[in-house]
Amino acid sequence: MTFRRTVPAWQLAAPALFVMAWGGNHFTPLLHMYESLGHYSVVMTDLFLGFYVVGLVPGLLLAGALSDRYGRKPLTLAGVVLGILASILLGLGFSSGIMLSAGRLLAGLSVAVAMAVGTAWLKELSSPPFDNQAGRTAGARRPSLTLTVGFGLGAGVAGVLAQWGPMPTLSPYVVHIVLSLLVLPRLLRAPETVPRYRAHRPFWQDLAVPLAGHRRFVRVIIPSAPWVFGAAGIAYAIMPTLVQDQLGSLNLAYATLLTVVTLGTGALVQPQVARINRVTDGRALMVGMSVMLLGVGLSVATAIVLSPVLAFLTAVVLGAAYGVSIVAGLVEIQKISTAADLAGITGVYYSLTYIGFLLPVAFAWLNAVAGYPVLLSILFVVCALCLALVANGMRRRVTE
């Protein structure tokens, strides 16, 4: 007699989050390729990153409400399909700024579904009755780790293929399309966690997220959230730009390395957040922000000395800050949320985190006015102020 091993429910849904994250970040290390082979300006390539956020933020705000109405699985399926369409446009649109912009926008929408809907879904699948053995922070750790690994591997594989593989402008996107098609059968087996819902009010009323006004959210989450992907943007978009003159033809490989190192470090530290919270009496977010401040300080030093080695060290520190902060932030919002508003508040949280991803675009524009050492020094001061706000908010320990 043979026994069939049952796959945990969350592992049926997680691969979909993985491929959506892959499709959201495989473009990032290729920026230098578009500048050198496609002759796009630095501002234009940074704008491609911006179009990603243009799709991401409204997607984050809409996807949660849609999944509350129609279910987590249908929205996640739509997100995977959007990711496939994005890769098709990106793969075929190398010489078209319009196609690249549209592809990045669709990629943003896909990742929005992964973050808002997928994070809520995996949290629900990591709780009874779907999972009776999961730890207290599993609902935050599992989705964030899945997304981080997807972001990192997507960037790593794309960068290697673009630097040394065949058809560098096309093959990174073909890999993502194939992976996305492969996860669909597994996704269809995942259980739905939202009871069948009959719409009884206008959809726009579902978009309201009262928890966004919760005092804990305002005092702790809002000052810290933009630094999550602000760390990532500094590490693998700004750092390679600072040291590109020292690298010659290895620019693309180095940008890929920093992306993988940043997200790899983030993935390694995320399982330690529960321990950090225990040791610090629930203040892991403050630890993440403190490491963030150190990373921004190192980025200032890198902008002054222009050292690839120091840029690498900066990426490691910022990756650790990213990993601790993203899980700690999710733990904070899950403390104040219920099943009815989890997806919506998660979408708002991730919308705030992605504000930081616009830093490379802003710095590319502002570089004509002030150099990177000055801009990053100002950012250091702002980070210190945000750390002070978070520390003050956590000391008050407001509960409602």
Side-chain angles (χ1 to χ4, degrees):
M1 180 181 294
T2 59
F3 294 91
R4 185 177 179 181
R5 184 180 180 183
T6 302
V7 178
W10 74 272
Q11 292 183 16
L12 296 173
L17 275 70
F18 172 81
V19 296
M20 285 187 279
W22 181 300
N25 210 40
H26 59 178
F27 184 89
T28 305
L30 308 182
L31 294 180
H32 181 69
M33 180 185 74
Y34 286 95
E35 293 169 12
S36 58
L37 299 182
H39 305 294
Y40 293 99
S41 67
V42 174
V43 172
M44 189 65 191
T45 55
D46 283 337
L47 278 176
F48 293 148
L49 295 178
F51 273 105
Y52 170 74
V53 179
V54 168
L56 185 98
V57 172
L60 285 168
L61 299 176
L62 290 170
L66 286 170
S67 74
D68 287 338
R69 180 171 288 225
Y70 300 110
R72 309 294 191 223
K73 186 191 290 189
L75 266 292
T76 303
L77 180 62
V80 174
V81 172
L82 285 172
I84 293 172
L85 294 176
S87 284
I88 292 173
L89 287 174
L90 293 170
L92 299 178
F94 180 76
S95 59
S96 169
I98 293 176
M99 288 182 68
L100 292 176
S101 299
R104 290 298 289 162
L105 189 146
L106 289 181
L109 288 172
S110 175
V111 174
V113 173
M115 288 185 154
V117 180
T119 296
W121 196 15
L122 256 64
K123 196 273 180 187
E124 292 159 353
L125 291 175
S126 298
S127 307
F130 303 100
D131 191 334
N132 295 313
Q133 282 80 43
R136 293 178 60 185
T137 62
R141 185 186 70 253
R142 286 171 176 174
S144 65
L145 186 58
T146 301
L147 291 169
T148 299
V149 173
F151 286 140
L153 285 180
V157 172
V160 169
L161 288 174
Q163 181 79 58
W164 295 292
M167 299 182 294
T169 65
L170 180 61
S171 57
Y173 305 111
V174 173
V175 171
H176 173 249
I177 292 169
V178 172
L179 287 175
S180 298
L181 293 173
L182 289 175
V183 307
L184 289 177
R186 197 177 185 93
L187 173 61
L188 293 174
R189 292 170 50 205
E192 179 60 72
T193 56
V194 175
R196 192 166 184 83
Y197 178 87
R198 292 185 179 181
H200 62 278
R201 61 180 183 176
F203 172 68
W204 63 266
Q205 292 183 7
D206 290 343
L207 299 179
V209 185
L211 273 181
H214 191 289
R215 283 182 288 175
R216 184 78 169 182
F217 190 87
V218 171
R219 293 172 177 172
V220 173
I221 297 299
I222 290 180
S224 63
W227 297 98
V228 171
F229 285 105
I234 295 169
Y236 54 72
I238 294 177
M239 290 299 102
T241 300
L242 292 177
V243 300
Q244 61 184 353
D245 292 340
Q246 281 79 13
L247 299 169
S249 62
L250 293 177
N251 262 327
L252 196 154
Y254 183 78
T256 301
L257 175 65
L258 289 197
T259 304
V260 173
V261 164
T262 302
L263 295 170
T265 305
L268 288 173
V269 303
Q270 285 180 27
Q272 307 305 317
V273 173
R275 183 178 301 173
I276 295 172
N277 260 330
R278 286 196 300 270
V279 171
T280 61
D281 193 24
R283 291 180 173 84
L285 193 55
M286 278 182 59
V287 173
M289 285 295 296
S290 299
V291 179
M292 193 83 64
L293 185 64
L294 173 61
V296 177
L298 288 172
S299 73
V300 175
T302 302
I304 295 171
V305 302
L306 303 178
S307 166
V309 174
L310 187 55
F312 180 89
L313 177 60
T314 301
V316 172
V317 175
L318 288 171
Y322 157 82
V324 173
S325 297
I326 193 170
V327 176
L330 285 171
V331 170
E332 287 291 329
I333 67 169
Q334 289 175 9
K335 286 179 182 176
I336 63 173
S337 63
T338 65
D341 49 27
L342 177 60
I345 195 64
T346 301
V348 174
Y349 169 66
Y350 274 126
S351 298
L352 293 170
T353 65
Y354 261 97
I355 292 173
F357 207 63
L358 293 173
L359 272 176
V361 182
F363 276 31
W365 282 98
L366 293 172
N367 193 35
V369 179
Y372 276 99
V374 174
L375 295 174
L376 289 168
S377 296
I378 295 172
L379 194 67
F380 179 85
V381 174
V382 176
C383 186
L385 291 174
C386 288
L387 172 58
L389 289 174
V390 172
N392 182 63
M394 297 197 85
R395 273 199 302 269
R396 302 182 79 155
R397 291 192 172 277
V398 179
T399 59
E400 293 185 349

